[in-house]
Amino acid sequence: MVVRHLPKVEAPVQFWYPAPNNHMEIKEIKLEELNPEKFIKEKIREISSIVGDGLAVNALSGGVDSSAVTILGHKALSDRLKTYFINNGLMREDEPQRVVSLFKELGIHVEMINTQKQFFDALKGLTDPEEKRETITEVFYRDVFGKIVKESGAKFLLQGTNYTDVEETVAGIKRQHNILGQLGIDTEKVYGYKVIEPLLQLRKTGVRKVAQTLGLPEEIYAKPPFPGPALATRVIGEVTPERIETVRKATKIVEEELSNTEAFQYFPILYEDKVTGIREGKRDYGFQIEVRCWDSKDVKTGSPTKLPYNTLERLAERITTEVPGVVSVTYNITKKPPSTIEAI
Amino acid sequence: MVVRHLPKVEAPVQFWYPAPNNHMEIKEIKLEELNPEKFIKEKIREISSIVGDGLAVNALSGGVDSSAVTILGHKALSDRLKTYFINNGLMREDEPQRVVSLFKELGIHVEMINTQKQFFDALKGLTDPEEKRETITEVFYRDVFGKIVKESGAKFLLQGTNYTDVEETVAGIKRQHNILGQLGIDTEKVYGYKVIEPLLQLRKTGVRKVAQTLGLPEEIYAKPPFPGPALATRVIGEVTPERIETVRKATKIVEEELSNTEAFQYFPILYEDKVTGIREGKRDYGFQIEVRCWDSKDVKTGSPTKLPYNTLERLAERITTEVPGVVSVTYNITKKPPSTIEAI
């Protein structure tokens, strides 16, 4: 693990995509090479040695990556790591409370920071997916974390960036929210802290093995991936509190109906396009939701899960009945590639 | 059959939706009551008696409704009925040529009128589905047919409006393109001709029986329904020649792949929303197509056909490979209601 000092950039941050080979300095640890106990020991030692007797912070989302980092960090630094849950208003139903209480049971205090207004204000009027992602990234690192770090006096941010995040961003497929150094952003200069990324050499399956070995419950180590910009990724077009609430309700239904499948990931997407429906004999021009459910081993490729038609029918019926304004539901039938896992 | 003289309206046409019961004056002939030979004889006699030794015109789209009316009209009026194919630029691949040559084989001359530019000019910048429908209706009846009628001296327009068209429009679900009198539009005053609608009392299944009895080939009498505004109905958002070409290519694939099913109707829809895809390892922000395939007996209700997953996969693969710019394909899983057969 290296704390990289990459070329300096001037604020305001200019995102640039380096030549495809720049990330080759990061050596992947393949699943079959991974010894989780050894990996954990090494990372604890490395984190201790970098932070010394300084302070560090990290943001916990409750996903497997940030959860593993939280445990690694606390094992290395104990109370000198402060862990925050950034409630950006874009999370799933009850998720903030659930994550905080789950870590409380593990003996780790997580502080909830309510920043809904900051995120929604910044997202107002934005429809381009890359602009939305960059805005969420900027608000998160600059406004929210910049402030937390300044107030705490911490000089280090721990985060759960993994090998696939780097790969996809550097290849120019998708700007992952947690990619900074790899894009040439000197976080120390721009945001006032260094970023430490203990999981950078692992893909998701490796992270899951480490998380399980760290003693995290199955609810965490087997958790389907959920994107950094959260439900904002599941809304095409403008992100507003109302539109997030629509896709949040649909997410709850999709997760309830599909959690018993072996699928890699499943979620709904709210479209901006409206379609004609009919309610009680009258025209109802309403919203459309797409459901995606993926079979995938490595995120790099994927196929739509062959869900039985009675499951698809129940999904459509529940979503059009329980989510106000939705008149149409579709199911993704395209593989990755040429699709991607998420729609934006 | 009654040629109705409904309340006069002033130009420019104001579309109004009458109270739900206004259309009850039209008495449905249910399939089990229909004697197609007797029906045909009666309608031929009625058309003859209304038109007298005058001239009539009709527009043939090649669908079962307008095809049946074309045969009925020619049986009643022979050469005193002039039949036109209005090429509005919104038809399927090769459809205009195919329809004209098929009727030539039946001994009926159909004149092709090229009006692509008129329709695309009028549709420019329109995104609201009802506005698009009304624009196509207006260009068709006022500009195109108004001119044809004036030049031909005809006083009558024969058209294939059926019972479901009236019902859905009057109920306010969807403004069908061919509904005029039922909305209180006095076509004689507004467009200069009377409209005769011999199929007004039949639903689609009844029309198919009549069409078969009239000697039309199976390609016509069993043809899946295709909307009056044609491919414009399959484009969400602005209708441009490029977007029509995209959905036209997808339509050809969907029809090739699904014509061997027992489905009632099947078609793709081009969305305005764009989604992220990946091509040759690079991000490709592209178009999305939804495929709908319906099981339905009476159009009033419908269920998505339970197509096997290998069919769905082949559809997605062909569309994303053969239609430029498309990176994602979905399949409709919502019943009607609350969905409708078409998306807009």
Side-chain angles (χ1 to χ4, degrees):
Chain A
M1 186 171 53
V2 180
V3 181
R4 274 151 299 119
H5 292 271
L6 284 149
K8 306 220 165 178
V9 289
E10 299 300 314
V13 180
Q14 300 290 324
F15 291 110
W16 60 272
Y17 291 80
N21 280 339
N22 279 21
H23 70 294
M24 298 309 283
E25 60 180 287
I26 303 163
K27 195 184 165 327
E28 180 185 355
I29 302 173
K30 292 198 194 300
L31 189 61
E32 58 275 18
E33 304 160 358
L34 174 67
N35 176 333
E37 289 82 6
K38 187 164 159 270
F39 179 89
I40 290 167
K41 265 188 209 154
E42 276 178 23
K43 293 301 157 185
I44 290 173
R45 204 173 50 233
E46 288 177 15
I47 295 168
S48 294
S49 116
I50 294 167
V51 178
D53 49 13
L55 291 176
V57 294
N58 83 308
L60 171 67
S61 70
V64 64
D65 302 329
S66 70
S67 295
V69 164
T70 299
I71 305 285
L72 280 175
H74 281 272
K75 281 185 187 292
L77 306 173
S78 187
D79 283 354
R80 285 181 295 112
L81 174 64
K82 296 255 178 274
T83 299
Y84 299 90
F85 187 99
I86 308 301
N87 190 354
N88 54 15
L90 307 171
M91 309 305 286
R92 285 169 288 191
E93 199 165 297
D94 300 328
E95 195 162 29
Q97 297 71 21
R98 176 97 193 103
V99 171
V100 169
S101 77
L102 198 146
F103 275 80
K104 194 176 176 187
E105 284 169 34
L106 296 169
I108 294 175
H109 172 71
V110 178
E111 196 171 330
M112 173 116 65
I113 311 283
N114 290 311
T115 56
Q116 293 93 323
K117 195 177 162 354
Q118 265 171 289
F119 280 91
F120 282 122
D121 283 353
L123 286 164
K124 210 165 184 172
L126 301 184
T127 57
D128 179 81
E130 295 293 291
E131 262 191 279
K132 291 194 291 183
R133 278 175 184 273
E134 292 193 0
T135 298
I136 291 169
T137 302
E138 278 294 285
V139 173
F140 185 89
Y141 287 102
R142 186 192 56 205
D143 303 342
V144 176
F145 250 87
K147 193 165 160 258
I148 288 172
V149 166
K150 206 168 280 172
E151 286 174 5
S152 69
K155 288 279 169 235
F156 301 93
L157 170 67
L158 265 69
Q159 72 175 12
T161 322
N162 68 37
Y163 196 79
T164 310
D165 293 336
V166 179
E167 200 174 47
E168 293 212 330
T169 301
V170 173
I173 295 159
K174 198 172 280 186
R175 169 76 163 84
Q176 294 293 346
H177 69 289
N178 52 4
I179 302 299
L180 299 161
Q182 295 81 358
L183 292 177
I185 298 163
D186 182 340
T187 59
E188 197 172 357
K189 185 175 157 82
V190 176
Y191 302 122
Y193 48 78
K194 279 184 192 155
V195 175
I196 304 175
E197 296 166 313
L199 308 177
L200 212 51
Q201 293 169 277
L202 303 178
R203 290 192 190 270
K204 208 73 168 185
T205 42
V207 177
R208 293 195 191 287
K209 211 164 159 184
V210 168
Q212 186 175 9
T213 309
L214 282 167
L216 281 160
E218 186 175 353
E219 174 181 347
I220 298 282
Y221 74 71
K223 196 175 200 171
F226 190 64
L231 295 175
T233 316
R234 274 82 190 260
V235 165
I236 297 197
E238 193 183 2
V239 177
T240 64
E242 297 72 29
R243 303 195 76 214
I244 288 291
E245 188 51 32
T246 298
V247 83
R248 181 180 284 131
K249 285 198 167 77
T251 301
K252 187 164 190 273
I253 295 168
V254 170
E255 294 189 348
E256 281 169 8
E257 294 296 334
L258 303 184
S259 64
N260 63 342
T261 63
E262 298 288 303
F264 172 74
Q265 204 176 354
Y266 34 81
F267 53 88
I269 299 152
L270 172 63
Y271 280 83
E272 191 158 43
D273 288 333
K274 294 180 81 178
V275 294
T276 302
I278 173 172
R279 295 261 188 210
E280 289 159 17
K282 293 280 171 203
R283 180 174 188 265
D284 182 6
Y285 190 48
F287 304 122
Q288 186 170 52
I289 291 273
E290 172 186 345
V291 175
R292 294 189 177 189
C293 181
W294 291 101
D295 290 340
S296 175
K297 285 211 176 62
D298 58 2
V299 201
K300 285 170 76 177
T301 61
S303 298
T305 306
K306 294 182 171 64
L307 294 175
Y309 271 95
N310 58 9
T311 304
L312 296 176
E313 274 178 12
R314 198 169 49 244
L315 278 169
E317 200 187 319
R318 284 198 61 191
I319 293 171
T320 55
T321 309
E322 298 173 32
V323 187
V326 177
V327 297
S328 173
V329 181
T330 63
Y331 186 61
N332 170 56
I333 57 171
T334 320
K335 291 179 181 174
K336 172 180 182 180
S339 182
T340 48
I341 301 287
E342 301 278 350
I344 55 173
Chain B
M1 185 169 54
V2 179
V3 181
R4 276 151 298 120
H5 291 272
L6 284 150
K8 305 220 165 181
V9 288
E10 300 300 316
V13 179
Q14 301 290 324
F15 292 111
W16 58 272
Y17 291 81
N21 280 339
N22 278 21
H23 70 296
M24 298 307 284
E25 59 178 288
I26 303 161
K27 195 184 165 327
E28 181 186 353
I29 301 173
K30 292 198 192 303
L31 190 62
E32 58 274 19
E33 305 161 358
L34 174 66
N35 175 333
E37 289 81 8
K38 188 165 158 267
F39 179 89
I40 289 167
K41 264 188 209 155
E42 275 177 24
K43 293 301 159 187
I44 291 174
R45 204 174 49 233
E46 287 177 14
I47 296 168
S48 294
S49 116
I50 294 166
V51 179
D53 49 11
L55 291 176
V57 293
N58 83 309
L60 171 67
S61 70
V64 63
D65 302 329
S66 70
S67 295
V69 164
T70 299
I71 305 286
L72 279 176
H74 280 273
K75 280 186 188 292
L77 307 172
S78 186
D79 282 356
R80 285 180 295 113
L81 174 65
K82 296 255 176 275
T83 299
Y84 300 90
F85 187 98
I86 308 303
N87 189 355
N88 53 15
L90 307 171
M91 309 305 285
R92 285 170 288 191
E93 200 166 296
D94 299 329
E95 195 162 26
Q97 297 73 20
R98 176 95 193 103
V99 171
V100 169
S101 78
L102 199 146
F103 275 81
K104 194 177 177 186
E105 283 170 35
L106 296 169
I108 294 174
H109 171 71
V110 177
E111 198 171 328
M112 173 113 68
I113 310 284
N114 289 312
T115 57
Q116 293 93 324
K117 196 177 162 348
Q118 264 172 289
F119 280 91
F120 282 122
D121 284 353
L123 286 164
K124 210 165 186 172
L126 301 185
T127 56
D128 179 81
E130 295 293 291
E131 263 190 280
K132 291 194 290 183
R133 278 175 184 273
E134 292 194 0
T135 298
I136 291 170
T137 302
E138 278 295 285
V139 173
F140 184 89
Y141 287 101
R142 185 191 57 205
D143 303 343
V144 176
F145 250 87
K147 192 162 160 263
I148 288 172
V149 166
K150 206 169 278 172
E151 285 174 4
S152 69
K155 288 278 169 235
F156 301 93
L157 170 66
L158 264 70
Q159 74 175 13
T161 322
N162 67 37
Y163 196 79
T164 310
D165 294 336
V166 179
E167 200 174 46
E168 292 212 332
T169 301
V170 173
I173 295 160
K174 197 172 279 184
R175 169 75 163 85
Q176 294 294 346
H177 70 289
N178 53 4
I179 302 298
L180 300 163
Q182 295 82 357
L183 292 178
I185 298 163
D186 182 339
T187 60
E188 197 172 359
K189 184 174 157 82
V190 178
Y191 302 122
Y193 48 78
K194 279 183 191 155
V195 175
I196 303 175
E197 296 166 312
L199 308 177
L200 213 50
Q201 294 169 275
L202 303 178
R203 291 192 190 271
K204 209 73 168 183
T205 41
V207 177
R208 292 195 191 287
K209 210 163 158 185
V210 167
Q212 186 176 8
T213 310
L214 281 168
L216 282 159
E218 186 175 354
E219 175 182 346
I220 298 283
Y221 74 71
K223 197 174 201 172
F226 190 64
L231 295 175
T233 316
R234 273 84 189 258
V235 165
I236 297 197
E238 192 183 2
V239 177
T240 65
E242 297 72 30
R243 305 194 75 216
I244 288 292
E245 188 53 32
T246 299
V247 83
R248 181 180 284 130
K249 285 198 166 78
T251 300
K252 186 164 191 274
I253 295 167
V254 171
E255 294 189 348
E256 281 169 10
E257 294 295 334
L258 303 184
S259 64
N260 63 342
T261 63
E262 298 288 303
F264 172 75
Q265 204 175 354
Y266 33 81
F267 53 88
I269 299 152
L270 173 63
Y271 279 83
E272 191 159 42
D273 288 332
K274 293 179 81 178
V275 294
T276 303
I278 173 172
R279 297 259 187 210
E280 289 159 17
K282 292 281 172 201
R283 179 174 189 265
D284 182 6
Y285 189 49
F287 304 122
Q288 185 170 53
I289 291 274
E290 173 188 344
V291 175
R292 293 189 178 191
C293 181
W294 292 102
D295 290 340
S296 175
K297 284 211 173 64
D298 58 3
V299 201
K300 285 169 77 179
T301 62
S303 298
T305 306
K306 294 181 170 67
L307 295 174
Y309 270 96
N310 58 9
T311 304
L312 296 176
E313 274 177 12
R314 198 167 52 244
L315 278 169
E317 200 187 319
R318 284 197 60 192
I319 293 171
T320 54
T321 310
E322 298 172 32
V323 185
V326 177
V327 296
S328 174
V329 181
T330 63
Y331 185 60
N332 171 55
I333 57 171
T334 321
K335 292 179 181 176
K336 172 181 182 180
S339 181
T340 48
I341 300 288
E342 302 279 349
I344 56 173

